Amino acid sequence: MKLLTCPVNGPRNIAEFQYLGPVRAANAEEPGQLIEALFYAENPLGVMREWWRHTPSNTILIAERHTVTDQIVATYLPSQKPA
């Protein structure tokens, strides 16, 4: 069983979570930049920041996951960047 740590509820089965996509910056006033952010996903090797939702508590969180090993490096609330 794979575990993902919810910053509010602690370690939980990953089946309780919904993947929401990578964290990306886009400027809504630049249509080309917004279109690229929405429709062209990067697929980098290494650590990637991703949006996740713990469905029972509806907690939105950011997980840093290594795309090669699928290892979760860190999880935190969007308002709290780890030190």
Side-chain angles (χ1 to χ4, degrees):
M1 171 174 54
K2 186 170 183 179
L3 298 177
L4 184 63
T5 302
C6 175
V8 175
N9 300 299
R12 311 297 295 179
N13 185 330
I14 201 161
E16 293 184 12
F17 292 87
Q18 176 186 17
Y19 174 74
L20 300 174
V23 175
R24 296 182 257 187
N27 185 355
E29 296 184 17
E30 294 290 331
Q33 196 178 57
L34 185 59
I35 289 169
E36 187 172 324
L38 290 173
F39 296 106
Y40 298 103
E42 295 179 15
N43 192 16
L45 297 177
V47 177
M48 186 171 174
R49 294 175 64 224
E50 303 170 327
W51 291 105
W52 286 79
R53 180 173 73 101
H54 182 236
T55 52
S57 65
N58 203 30
T59 302
I60 303 294
L61 60 120
I62 295 176
E64 293 181 1
R65 182 179 63 87
H66 196 285
T67 59
V68 176
T69 62
D70 201 31
Q71 183 77 18
I72 305 295
V73 177
T75 58
Y76 49 90
L77 295 173
S79 60
Q80 303 172 335
K81 175 72 174 136

